[in-house]
Amino acid sequence: MSEDKYTAQTITWLHTWVPGKLFSLRCTRDPGFRFVAGQFARLGVRPQGSEEIVWRAYSMVSAPYDEHLEFFSIVVDGGQFTSTLEHLRPGDTLYVDKTAYGFLTTDRFAQDVPATRSLWMLSSGTGLAPFLSILADLPVWESFGPLVLVHSVRTREELAYADQIAALAQHPVIGEYLQADPTRLHYVPVVTREALPGVLSQRITTLLDNGELERAVGLPLDPARACVMLCGNPEMVTDLRQRVQDRGFRAPRRGNPGNLAVENYW
Ligand SMILES: Cc1cc2nc3c(=O)[nH]c(=O)nc-3n(C[C@H](O)[C@H](O)[C@H](O)COP(=O)(O)OP(=O)(O)OC[C@H]3O[C@@H](n4cnc5c(N)ncnc54)[C@H](O)[C@@H]3O)c2cc1C
Ligand SMILES: NC(=O)c1ccc[n+]([C@@H]2O[C@H](COP(=O)([O-])OP(=O)(O)OC[C@H]3O[C@@H](n4cnc5c(N)ncnc54)[C@H](OP(=O)(O)O)[C@@H]3O)[C@@H](O)[C@H]2O)c1
């Protein structure tokens, strides 16, 4: 990538969720870097002793109005990018492509529909990231009714951001919506490889097939009254996309606004 296409930013904050597996970081943000909630950046790191910058796609966790950028990352054993990223510390440089990308955004859905429709955000692992940005953004609270966030992970410790989601009623920008109606947000953690009392333990695909997800949320997943966004493990995305398409959900196409948006992470 030529040098005029990216900026050098500085890491300002790190948080480890699961040592050696999951962490978040913040960096400074170039004032010219604009994005829509749900989009991703291309991040660059320079592995030690290398002249080349290695680039990877990363969804923004932070909201479009935040001064910083925040990202949520996996550590892949032997991964070219993450084995460098995980060792960066505050003060180190992170390169950020000047352009934001991606179509996992709610502005792709039909706008001329009642604001009572629900938005279902179904994620696995770090696929949670874009939904945190979307949830912190005002438009989603203004143009949807119930918001459903499902996060599927293998073990309880991987339920990153659960405390922040629980505290959204105190959020300075969108908190008032939850204070007015605490039932607007349905956060559904799913832990598939540990049995935890009161926590769903089957895959989201199974929970859709057996009706348990809709029962847990208390709402129907109905294309006439809902939009769906899927993000994370590509097999999960494929399997879920098939199921919601069978129910009548459609991705936007050729100018026809749809009610389904998906993003694969690998
Ligand atoms: C649009 C888009 C947005 C993305 N956003 C994020 C994000 O917000 N956070 C994030 O951690 N990653 C995200 N990724 C994945 C990211 O780009 C890299 O693949 C990841 O950082 C690993 O890089 P690597 O070079 O270490 O390993 P790679 O060589 O890129 O990947 C090696 C293998 O690791 C596994 N893998 C890669 N990424 C993940 C992941 N996120 N979770 C679980 N397994 C994975 C896959 O099996 C993959 O084949 C995104 C990818 C895309 C396409
Ligand atoms: N998490 C770990 O402790 C661990 C350890 C070693 C290596 N890794 C590697 O790290 C990578 C990412 O791991 P991860 O735990 O973040 O992601 P993951 O394997 O994508 O699992 C995240 C969640 O998605 C679910 N899922 C996976 N495929 C699905 C499908 N087709 N349909 C519905 N749900 C599906 C998983 O359920 P299931 O539990 O039923 O699969 C789990 O709840 C993988 O490549 C893995 O091999 C992870």
Side-chain angles (χ1 to χ4, degrees), residues 160-231:
Y161 290 99
D163 292 345
Q164 287 78 350
I165 295 164
L168 276 176
Q170 277 72 55
H171 190 282
V173 176
I174 56 90
E176 61 181 272
Y177 290 93
L178 275 170
Q179 285 161 25
D181 178 3
T183 67
R184 280 288 298 281
L185 177 62
H186 302 259
Y187 168 55
V188 184
V190 174
V191 177
T192 46
R193 300 197 189 186
E194 262 183 281
L196 301 173
V199 178
L200 296 174
S201 62
Q202 289 167 308
R203 286 181 162 194
I204 306 177
T205 38
T206 309
L207 294 169
L208 268 186
D209 292 344
N210 62 20
E212 277 213 38
L213 185 60
E214 285 155 293
R215 260 195 304 283
V217 174
L219 290 168
L221 185 56
D222 170 1
R225 287 184 277 170
C227 291
V228 177
M229 303 178 100
L230 311 174
C231 187

Side-chain angles (χ1 to χ4, degrees), residues 21 74 124-126 152-154 158 190 192-193 203-205 233 235-236 239 266:
K21 167 107 207 278
I74 183 106
S124 68
T126 52
S152 180
V153 295
R154 295 179 178 192
E158 294 167 8
V190 174
T192 46
R193 300 197 189 186
R203 286 181 162 194
I204 306 177
T205 38
N233 182 318
E235 281 172 26
M236 181 203 70
D239 295 349
W266 66 92

Side-chain angles (χ1 to χ4, degrees), residues 107-129:
D107 55 8
R108 301 192 73 212
F109 299 141
Q111 302 300 310
D112 57 342
V113 294
T116 52
R117 70 189 161 162
S118 56
L119 177 66
W120 294 63
M121 295 166 273
L122 310 183
S123 65
S124 68
T126 52
L128 174 71

Side-chain angles (χ1 to χ4, degrees), residues 77-118:
D77 270 348
Q80 207 192 357
F81 184 89
T82 53
S83 52
T84 299
L85 188 75
E86 72 161 329
H87 292 115
L88 296 183
R89 290 293 167 262
D92 288 342
T93 297
L94 183 66
Y95 300 98
V96 183
D97 187 336
K98 286 181 179 172
T99 308
Y101 303 89
F103 301 106
L104 191 74
T105 55
T106 59
D107 55 8
R108 301 192 73 212
F109 299 141
Q111 302 300 310
D112 57 342
V113 294
T116 52
R117 70 189 161 162
S118 56

Side-chain angles (χ1 to χ4, degrees), residues 236-251:
M236 181 203 70
V237 168
T238 301
D239 295 349
L240 281 177
R241 180 180 7 211
Q242 188 58 56
R243 282 164 172 79
V244 298
Q245 282 177 341
D246 290 347
R247 289 178 182 228
F249 286 88
R250 292 287 174 269

